[in-house]
Amino acid sequence: MIFNPEYECMETTARKKLQLAALKNLTETLYSKVPFYRHKFMESKITPQDIHNINDIEKLPFTTKDDLRDNYPHGLRACPQDRIVEVHMSSGTTGKPVVNEYTIKDLDIWRQVMARTLSGAGCTRDDIVQNCYGYGLFTGGAGVHYGSIAIGAEVLPMSSGNTERQLMIMRDFGSTMLTCTPSYALFLAEEAAEAGINLYDLPIKKGCFGAEPWSENMRTEIETRYNMKAYDIYGLTEIIGPGVAFECKAQDGLHVNEDLFYPEIIDPVTGKAVPAGEKGELVFTTLTREGTPLLRYRTRDITCIIEEPCKCGRTTRRIHRLFGRTDDMLIIRGVNIFPSQIEQALIEIEGTEPQYLIIINRGDTHLDEVELQVEVKKDLFSDETRGLESLRSRIEQTMKSKLQIGLKVKLVEPKTIERSIGKAKRVIDNRKI
């Protein structure tokens, strides 16, 4: 289902004209109404009048998360306070929270892109959406809620947690679609098995999962446990929340709502655009936002743009599923590693659960020591020691082959690793670096 064919299937030349007009309007707004951006423009020796085509966006300054924190709470607001009708923000666990302020128009944009997102996964007005993303200041719950209503679907605003009740509602109300983090989807599946609930007997057949990196193998695990189709969605608080990009039924990259959010891929070191199809850091400009519009926001997510047409009929460009984040990347003994690489390798190994924890210490020799804790399936853990040792050795060999470094693997019993109802915590880095 394509929710808005006029924009999702727009001819490329027409879309570029739309983007250019929006970019010119955006730069004029930021220059005249946001002192932070006026100063940035002056430092870059550029004015809104220097924007003549969409490629001129590369002349404009970047915005970073530090800029958002430095301007907390209202320094990036681009309209009067009396036009702001809703506020969301990040948790602020590593500093001041990132604030996103919405006007009525901004909420309409959010409803639109989330309706496109859910429709891409096949959601219609006949669906019952069990929304397990967190409500409140977090954008996940509200975004799915608005999109479901725009489609006309029935939405169950469950939020996260209270797993026993989640499963009861899923069964009793006949939920047909699940929305939550992928790690919570697996946790729900574990609890359903413990409660003797066969998920294959329930009508839930599709789900939209995001808010944390997850691998293709983890998708397969979710689809197998639920007998559903699992779709990736992408968004971030700074831009609008979920709904920036989404998978369609082809599951071949995420369609960017690029009439509203302009994507770029840059070299994270030089800041220059990378050749088409190459991996780099994803950058977004909010072309039509009013409350807190952002210019060339550096997301720190690593991906590439897929230019080839999608068989679904949408003409919007797609981004590849995320390879990782520049700030999540671990440097272990000089080797760059993303946790998603470990997850991808683990799920291929029979006998393990999709739950793991990476613990990094710096030993007496000043070398990095990495312990990988892996949960083992219940029947295997109760087996003889020889089987566990063989599995442990196989995991270590696999990691050595795929990551080019040695990890110490510790096998632990099922449900030993702490579960999260939000984003999963995969790394504990005890190094003082």
Side-chain angles (χ1 to χ4, degrees):
M1 175 183 173
I2 299 178
F3 185 77
N4 192 331
E6 179 183 357
Y7 290 101
E8 295 182 72
C9 303
M10 181 179 282
E11 193 271 328
T12 301
T13 302
R15 182 179 290 115
K16 286 186 176 181
K17 288 182 179 178
L18 189 73
Q19 291 169 331
L20 176 59
L23 180 62
K24 286 182 175 180
N25 183 66
L26 173 67
T27 54
E28 289 170 0
T29 297
L30 295 177
Y31 189 83
S32 62
K33 297 183 178 179
V34 184
F36 165 79
Y37 276 115
R38 186 183 309 118
H39 179 68
K40 281 263 194 181
F41 276 51
M42 292 172 68
E43 281 186 331
S44 301
K45 298 181 179 179
I46 192 169
T47 69
Q49 287 67 46
D50 294 319
I51 305 302
H52 304 292
N53 62 69
I54 195 62
N55 293 327
D56 286 338
I57 196 170
E58 296 178 13
K59 301 176 183 178
L60 297 170
F62 291 112
T63 309
T64 68
K65 182 165 283 191
D66 285 341
D67 292 331
L68 273 63
R69 288 173 176 151
D70 291 344
N71 285 277
Y72 171 88
H74 304 304
L76 295 180
R77 184 192 287 161
C79 68
Q81 187 276 329
D82 62 6
R83 293 189 57 205
I84 300 299
V85 296
E86 189 165 320
V87 175
H88 289 275
M89 64 184 73
S90 68
S91 60
T93 54
T94 57
K96 288 183 179 178
V98 169
V99 176
N100 195 341
E101 302 183 77
Y102 300 74
T103 64
I104 289 290
K105 179 184 175 182
D106 293 334
L107 290 183
D108 287 341
I109 291 170
W110 201 9
R111 292 186 189 96
Q112 169 69 216
V113 296
M114 279 307 300
R116 296 182 193 181
T117 296
L118 297 171
S119 296
C123 182
T124 71
R125 63 182 303 107
D126 296 323
D127 277 296
I128 300 173
V129 181
Q130 183 150 337
N131 185 14
C132 304
Y133 283 111
Y135 279 70
L137 290 175
F138 176 61
T139 56
V144 171
H145 194 102
Y146 292 147
S148 300
I149 290 173
I151 290 171
E154 179 180 339
V155 59
L156 303 173
M158 299 297 297
S159 196
S160 53
N162 201 340
T163 303
E164 183 178 343
R165 190 168 187 230
Q166 295 274 11
L167 293 170
M168 180 189 75
I169 296 296
M170 186 182 294
R171 180 188 59 218
D172 296 347
F173 280 73
S175 304
T176 60
M177 186 172 196
L178 177 65
T179 60
C180 59
T181 61
S183 56
Y184 189 59
L186 286 176
F187 178 58
L188 277 173
E190 288 178 351
E191 294 299 300
E194 288 285 329
I197 298 172
N198 186 348
L199 294 173
Y200 277 42
D201 292 337
L202 304 184
I204 192 160
K205 296 302 176 189
K206 51 185 172 277
C208 283
F209 307 104
E212 64 186 17
W214 56 305
S215 65
E216 192 65 31
N217 283 344
M218 194 169 184
R219 185 215 297 273
T220 301
E221 187 80 11
I222 292 171
E223 291 186 337
T224 300
R225 293 195 181 197
Y226 284 86
N227 191 30
M228 67 152 65
K229 295 295 288 183
Y231 296 92
D232 196 5
I233 63 175
Y234 176 82
L236 55 168
T237 301
E238 297 91 315
I239 301 302
I240 202 163
V244 177
F246 62 93
E247 277 188 325
C248 65
K249 288 194 172 183
Q251 293 181 315
D252 183 23
L254 291 88
H255 289 271
V256 177
N257 286 304
E258 57 174 328
D259 54 313
L260 302 164
F261 314 115
Y262 188 82
E264 301 174 75
I265 303 291
I266 65 167
D267 183 312
V269 177
T270 66
K272 301 297 183 183
V274 303
E278 286 195 13
K279 289 193 293 186
E281 181 180 355
L282 181 60
V283 171
F284 273 115
T285 294
T286 62
L287 293 172
T288 58
R289 288 290 313 277
E290 292 183 333
T292 46
L294 296 182
L295 182 64
R296 304 192 78 197
Y297 180 72
R298 297 186 60 161
T299 68
R300 299 191 285 195
D301 290 320
I302 303 298
T303 186
C304 62
I305 288 181
I306 303 171
E307 302 280 356
E308 294 79 14
C310 182
K311 60 185 179 183
C312 75
R314 294 174 177 85
T315 57
T316 47
R317 289 181 294 170
R318 289 162 288 150
I319 55 173
H320 192 283
R321 296 188 76 196
L322 301 185
F323 296 105
R325 288 175 55 83
T326 58
D327 54 351
D328 280 351
M329 185 179 71
L330 304 172
I331 303 177
I332 310 294
R333 297 174 221 147
V335 179
N336 297 342
I337 297 172
F338 292 102
S340 57
Q341 291 175 285
I342 293 175
E343 176 186 291
Q344 184 83 6
L346 268 181
I347 295 182
E348 293 176 358
I349 299 174
E350 188 176 351
T352 64
E353 294 283 359
Q355 301 292 342
Y356 65 94
L357 183 65
I358 305 163
I359 302 175
I360 311 171
N361 292 293
R362 186 149 284 172
D364 295 335
T365 60
H366 303 291
L367 294 176
D368 296 334
E369 298 176 350
V370 185
E371 178 180 274
L372 174 61
Q373 294 186 6
V374 182
E375 284 192 11
V376 177
K377 290 188 181 296
K378 196 173 189 178
D379 56 347
L380 186 61
F381 204 87
S382 59
D383 203 353
E384 59 183 33
T385 305
R386 187 173 15 176
L388 288 175
E389 180 57 29
S390 174
L391 176 60
R392 187 190 64 78
S393 177
R394 191 160 73 252
I395 295 173
E396 287 185 346
Q397 291 172 12
T398 299
M399 294 302 161
K400 178 72 172 177
S401 171
K402 292 184 177 292
L403 305 180
Q404 307 305 311
I405 66 165
L407 306 180
K408 177 185 176 183
V409 173
K410 180 181 179 181
L411 303 181
V412 298
E413 296 185 55
K415 297 195 174 181
T416 302
I417 295 173
E418 183 179 357
R419 303 301 196 261
S420 172
I421 60 175
K423 297 183 181 182
K425 183 174 180 62
R426 300 298 194 192
V427 181
I428 298 176
D429 193 342
N430 295 319
R431 297 173 296 177
K432 299 294 187 285
I433 54 177

